[in-house]
Amino acid sequence: MTAGGCLLAMSYYGAEKAIAHYNVMGPVKAALEAAVRYMASNSGWRVSASTPFAGSGKTRAASGIEHFDELLERAVHEAPEHRLVTLDDVGSFAAFLVSDAAKAITGNIAYVDAGYHVVG
């Protein structure tokens, strides 16, 4: 990335908090978040991770989490915005991160979770 650019990673709340049935993926995501910080520090690149929690989490990987529907229901109930996050929400944030408007942001782990992280 000698001509600029931005490296983005997708993490998950389970990197920070123990989430039932998330198992080994919690430590894996924690390692990913540490890698984001170290890559930003050592490379001088723009490197960030977003941490969507609910809604956009309906992925193939999430389908392996037992009782995932209950986790989503709890997120809607507890999140300050009382809604699930959409893929558009995550995509809009990613577009912001790669834009010049975010050119001074690096090494950041940002939550895109309708506020769930402040109460979860």
Side-chain angles (χ1 to χ4, degrees), residues 31-90:
L32 173 67
E33 291 183 9
V36 164
R37 290 186 291 274
Y38 278 91
M39 287 180 69
S41 176
N42 295 329
S43 69
W45 298 343
R46 288 172 49 199
V47 183
S48 294
S50 65
T51 305
F53 180 70
S56 63
K58 293 180 182 179
T59 63
R60 183 179 174 132
S63 69
I65 300 174
E66 292 181 50
H67 309 289
F68 188 65
D69 290 337
E70 293 171 20
L71 188 69
L72 294 178
E73 288 175 24
R74 189 178 82 214
V76 169
H77 178 71
E78 294 179 9
E81 293 184 12
H82 300 291
R83 69 179 185 94
L84 296 177
V85 174
T86 68
L87 290 175
D88 284 344
D89 293 328
V90 177

Side-chain angles (χ1 to χ4, degrees), residues 96-113:
F96 163 72
L97 285 176
V98 301
S99 76
D100 285 342
K103 65 185 175 188
I105 297 173
T106 191
N108 189 50
I109 311 299
Y111 296 94
V112 182
D113 65 357

